[in-house]
Amino acid sequence: MRPRVDEMLDYCTLEVAMTVCGGVWKISILKYLFQGTLRFGELNRAMPDITPRMLTRQLRDLEEDGLVTRTVYREVPPRVEYSLTEIGASLKDLVGQLEEWGNWYREQIRKPARIEPPVPESMADSGAV
């Protein structure tokens, strides 16, 4: 069970942010909701690697933390839509920066490693290296 953010100590602000936004899926869910209101099935199709159970769990956490609003329409079959609250929308720039950093990082690790010239044995033995 995750900690309640309202009960976390005042000096734990980074931990609060990580509790609310952390995990594999929450940032991705927010990214899709920045585009507008989506139904559960639309979110599930946008993220094919997440299971419906995990998507439900992550959406509940985001709703509980005040980042997402869940609207249920009394229809047959019932229709449920998810949208961002003002607090959730406030993360747009941060999520954009994280996405840019992720792209940059991926490029960095794809670059071939710089090959260092071998150290001559005479220098290695003398402790000059």
Side-chain angles (χ1 to χ4, degrees), residues 3-40:
R4 290 182 43 99
V5 251
D6 59 342
E7 294 175 354
M8 295 179 88
L9 300 174
D10 289 340
Y11 64 85
C12 296
T13 54
L14 184 57
E15 288 81 357
V16 168
M18 292 304 297
T19 298
V20 173
C21 299
V24 177
W25 299 109
K26 289 180 182 178
I27 296 289
S28 294
I29 293 168
L30 293 173
K31 182 183 113 177
Y32 287 105
L33 290 176
F34 290 140
Q35 300 168 21
T37 300
L38 293 172
R39 294 173 69 175
F40 183 88

Side-chain angles (χ1 to χ4, degrees), residues 72-110:
V72 180
Y73 295 92
R74 305 285 178 206
E75 302 173 348
V76 177
R79 179 171 47 120
V80 179
E81 293 181 339
Y82 296 91
S83 57
L84 293 175
T85 64
E86 192 174 321
I87 296 171
S90 73
L91 292 166
K92 187 172 186 174
D93 291 341
L94 180 62
V95 171
Q97 289 174 342
L98 282 170
E99 188 168 28
E100 285 178 28
W101 185 87
N103 287 329
W104 173 84
Y105 176 76
R106 185 174 28 202
E107 291 303 314
Q108 298 307 304
I109 61 171
R110 286 182 179 165

